[in-house]
Amino acid sequence: MKEISALQKERAAYQPKLPKALMGAVKVKEGEPTQSVANQQEIKELFPNTYGMPLVEFVSGDKANEAEMNVGVILSGGQAPGGHNVISGLFDAVKKLNPNNRLFGFLMGPGGLVDHNYVEITSDFIDQYRNTGGFDMIGSGRTKLEKEEQFEKGLVILRELNIKAVVIIGGDDSNTNACVLAEYYAAKNYGVQIIGCPKTIDGDLKNDQIETSFGFDTACKTYAELIGNIERDCNSARKYWHFIKLMGRSASHIALECALQTQPNVCLISEEIEKNDMTLNQVVEDIAKVVACRAAQGDNFGVVLIPEGLIEFIPAIGRLIQELNDLLASHGADYKDLDKDAQRQYILSHLSKENAATFETLPEGVARQLSLDRDPHGNVQVSLIETEKLLSDMVDVLLAKWAKEGKYNGAFAAQHHFFGYEGRCAAPSNFDADYCYALGTSAAQLIAAGKTGYMAIVKNTTAGTDEWKAGGVPITMMMNMEKRNGEMKPVIRKALVELDGKPYKTFVSHRDEWAKNTCYVYPGPIQYWGPSDVCDQTTKTLQLEQTK
Ligand code: FBP
């Protein structure tokens, strides 16, 4: 028998809580027709069958829908704590609607649908995964579902398994593709529904309808625990500056949330750096000033949080990346066969003067990373760029210069960390366990109600679970047109940190004090049992965003 930990054994017995409206029979309450957040005409033309649908809320009903339906489910993109609970919620709801219903999991992401790799999710099978982290139940992948040929190949297996609907659990890119697939099947009248589900630790899939993406809560709490431990070590030995890069491909939500939880000396917010049109040297100078200020009071130690996506938000580098994206998209094949040095020369000779100059100032490793392949959605693979080392090296050089000029007289020794993968598969917090189970249940109800092109949602999440509101939002409502791989495409708008939002403002109102003094907070590990204040609190971001 497979060994499992004592915690997993206990945790398996946890029954996630559901909103009142999802506990029994459900009735659908429809709102007004919707519009996309921008580019309405273009999005409407691209999605004639799934545009403009109303928002849906589930309320308690008196007659159970006994819909007969086989359902498919796909985990797409980066892991996020709670994915297994979405599938558990979906499984339980699908079986509750009708015990003959079957759930199939497509393996290793969207590619499983195209290549017909699947497993039937049965009761015994799913019981091993309830309330566990990870996506290992069926695996995940980043295959982009975008071509008609893929949609048609997928249809073959959907027909074979008599699958009426597929739930795609993914981030903004995967849900964009879910919407394209929903539109395609609707246009062809294939009778297959597609439902999305908001996943990503990055926290950037949120808007007026989606309060938070699942996984953000657990991942941030896991990183905050580790940062707190480092802060305590740092405050004990008093000899290191710790440069910690935190995941979050674009937005700085994770870094900001971790800063609110742990009160480090410095936390960079990419969105602010972009708005202030800062250069890399200015960012470095700001950090060095904090180091020097603390050194002057005898504190040669500290903690700096760096959002993973920083590099793309430094405007000059952002412009360079834009041009590189277009260049790599249009010259892919001839470029790929060149060796490293020839690739660098090729890039320099094709870039505009301004961007070539920026490219030349970058350390070779960073420049190289920016010139490598994008992920299947056209994103720079920022998790591979060692910004934490780049910044600390540059701070070191600047401090040495200041020392020569008699402006600094401290000791600077840096340690480097990257927290990303450590948090993506953590066992879900109570919040994520409940939230995900409710999302899965909502997805099943959307299918039973005949909906397609919707994303399952759960709102009012800072209230008690039974007061949460569940329903669905048309995916087209969250879309606008953006340039991807050199072409304008309909995509779900990413939510960046809002510089007039409460989480950011709260951080700004404290950061000078946190920079100078040692105000560390040590959150400790996620707790599953115990006082509600310790176990059931959501993120500070969500709490601040929800306070009126
Ligand atoms: P999703 O947007 O798919 O949820 O993934 C987010 C993320 O965890 C980012 O934070 C990170 O930059 C990226 O995935 C890493 O990707 P990979 O797992 O392919 O290394």
Side-chain angles (χ1 to χ4, degrees):
M1 217 184 89
K2 213 167 120 193
E3 266 308 299
I4 61 167
S5 69
L7 173 67
Q8 193 179 325
K9 217 179 276 170
E10 282 300 321
R11 200 61 187 147
Y14 176 73
Q15 178 53 51
K17 302 186 217 67
L18 275 178
K20 219 182 286 153
L22 288 181
M23 285 176 188
V26 155
K27 203 165 72 189
V28 173
K29 197 169 117 191
E30 291 195 349
E32 296 296 311
T34 56
Q35 296 265 11
S36 58
V37 285
N39 310 100
Q40 286 88 3
Q41 201 47 41
E42 283 142 294
I43 309 275
K44 191 174 176 183
E45 275 162 26
L46 288 166
F47 296 91
N49 297 281
T50 50
Y51 187 86
M53 302 181 297
L55 280 168
V56 162
E57 187 187 334
F58 298 121
V59 292
S60 301
D62 25 58
K63 197 175 160 293
N65 184 335
E66 287 165 8
E68 272 190 40
M69 54 196 211
N70 289 350
V71 172
V73 63
I74 297 173
L75 289 165
S76 180
Q79 285 70 254
H84 289 163
N85 271 30
V86 178
I87 302 181
S88 311
L90 179 66
F91 177 85
D92 291 349
V94 159
K95 290 284 182 190
K96 202 167 153 193
L97 287 164
N98 189 320
N100 295 327
N101 290 339
R102 297 167 76 190
L103 178 64
F104 295 93
F106 290 100
L107 302 177
M108 301 310 293
L113 173 67
V114 181
D115 300 331
H116 303 184
N117 292 325
Y118 65 91
V119 64
E120 177 162 4
I121 298 177
T122 58
S123 178
D124 287 346
F125 179 68
I126 203 156
D127 283 351
Q128 309 165 59
Y129 294 98
R130 289 180 189 271
N131 308 307
T132 58
F135 279 6
D136 46 325
M137 182 198 292
I138 52 173
S140 185
R142 290 198 187 276
T143 302
K144 193 167 157 70
L145 280 184
E146 59 177 349
K147 298 195 186 93
E148 283 192 25
E149 184 200 332
Q150 295 171 308
F151 303 163
E152 290 293 338
K153 273 182 84 181
L155 185 75
V156 174
I157 190 69
L158 297 177
R159 290 267 192 263
E160 199 177 295
L161 300 172
N162 193 23
I163 288 179
K164 172 183 161 75
V166 181
V167 177
I168 300 183
I169 303 172
D172 53 340
D173 288 328
S174 309
N175 276 290
T176 295
N177 295 138
C179 193
V180 174
L181 183 60
E183 174 64 31
Y184 182 83
Y185 284 167
K188 295 271 179 180
N189 258 320
Y190 285 162
V192 178
Q193 301 156 239
I194 306 292
I195 299 295
C197 197
K199 168 235 72 166
T200 178
I201 61 160
D202 292 1
D204 56 7
L205 177 48
K206 66 176 169 184
N207 47 49
D208 289 348
Q209 304 307 326
I210 299 171
E211 293 182 358
T212 185
S213 56
F214 80 75
F216 177 70
D217 185 272
T218 310
C220 288
K221 285 173 180 162
T222 306
Y223 303 140
E225 176 201 351
L226 298 175
I227 295 164
N229 293 350
I230 285 178
E231 286 180 341
R232 204 148 212 171
D233 191 286
C234 177
N235 198 15
S236 306
R238 304 192 175 196
K239 61 176 182 180
Y240 292 127
W241 272 87
H242 290 267
F243 283 69
I244 306 174
K245 181 174 81 166
L246 289 162
M247 254 194 186
R249 192 201 323 276
S250 292
S252 311
H253 298 294
I254 293 180
L256 176 57
E257 172 62 25
C258 289
L260 292 168
Q261 290 192 32
T262 61
Q263 307 190 173
N265 304 99
V266 177
C267 174
L268 303 177
I269 303 293
S270 308
E271 292 81 346
E272 177 187 17
I273 288 165
E274 179 176 61
K275 174 166 170 267
N276 294 340
D277 203 8
M278 289 174 78
T279 61
L280 185 55
N281 285 335
Q282 285 168 325
V283 174
V284 168
E285 190 175 329
D286 280 0
I287 302 172
K289 278 184 186 157
V290 176
V291 175
C293 163
R294 284 177 63 79
Q297 63 200 27
D299 295 332
N300 287 303
F301 64 95
V303 170
V304 180
L305 303 187
I306 303 153
E308 183 186 50
L310 173 74
I311 207 90
E312 285 191 276
F313 283 76
I314 295 176
I317 303 180
R319 286 194 290 277
L320 164 68
I321 290 173
Q322 284 293 329
E323 196 179 347
L324 278 174
N325 285 348
D326 294 351
L327 190 65
L328 297 181
S330 56
H331 294 278
D334 48 341
Y335 171 83
K336 271 198 188 87
D337 298 334
L338 302 175
D339 69 25
K340 227 161 117 182
D341 292 337
Q343 281 189 337
R344 187 175 166 88
Q345 282 319 314
Y346 179 99
I347 285 180
L348 281 167
S349 65
H350 282 76
L351 284 176
S352 65
K353 219 166 132 205
E354 184 214 341
N355 289 335
T358 308
F359 191 78
E360 285 205 288
T361 61
L362 292 175
E364 209 179 314
V366 175
R368 171 100 193 114
Q369 193 51 53
L370 296 184
S371 347
L372 292 180
D373 278 351
R374 303 308 188 233
D375 80 359
H377 298 275
N379 302 304
V380 175
Q381 301 194 48
V382 282
S383 63
L384 300 175
I385 302 178
E386 294 181 320
T387 347
E388 67 284 20
K389 292 208 175 107
L390 170 73
L391 289 175
S392 89
D393 285 354
M394 291 178 78
V395 166
D396 198 12
V397 170
L398 185 59
L399 289 172
K401 179 172 170 279
W402 287 353
K404 269 197 192 138
E405 294 165 2
K407 293 188 208 156
Y408 166 74
N409 178 23
F412 178 76
Q415 295 285 356
H416 304 107
H417 315 265
F418 169 35
F419 297 152
Y421 300 98
E422 292 81 349
R424 297 200 309 183
C425 285
S429 59
N430 286 347
F431 174 82
D432 271 329
D434 294 344
Y435 182 53
C436 290
Y437 192 79
L439 284 171
T441 311
S442 261
Q445 292 295 354
L446 286 168
I447 300 167
K451 303 292 177 193
T452 191
Y454 275 77
M455 204 185 296
I457 52 169
V458 173
K459 293 164 88 165
N460 203 26
T461 49
T462 46
T465 335
D466 56 346
E467 287 168 57
W468 289 2
K469 293 185 188 317
V473 52
I475 302 178
T476 50
M477 187 183 178
M478 301 177 276
M479 285 188 158
N480 67 168
M481 301 294 293
E482 287 175 25
K483 202 168 187 186
R484 294 289 166 93
N485 281 332
E487 268 178 70
M488 290 307 281
K489 294 265 182 194
V491 292
I492 294 176
R493 186 186 270 177
K494 229 185 236 314
L496 300 178
V497 167
E498 286 180 9
L499 301 183
D500 57 356
K502 278 204 183 134
Y504 172 75
K505 282 183 159 171
T506 305
F507 162 70
V508 168
S509 67
H510 290 100
R511 72 171 154 196
D512 290 348
E513 194 201 341
W514 298 350
K516 191 163 183 290
N517 304 321
T518 302
C519 307
Y520 304 151
V521 173
Y522 316 118
I526 293 174
Q527 302 293 314
Y528 301 99
W529 299 275
S532 185
D533 263 8
V534 180
C535 303
D536 300 325
Q537 290 299 316
T538 57
T539 56
K540 293 199 182 283
T541 303
L542 190 56
Q543 288 175 43
L544 288 162
E545 282 172 348
Q546 300 290 308
T547 26
K548 299 278 173 316

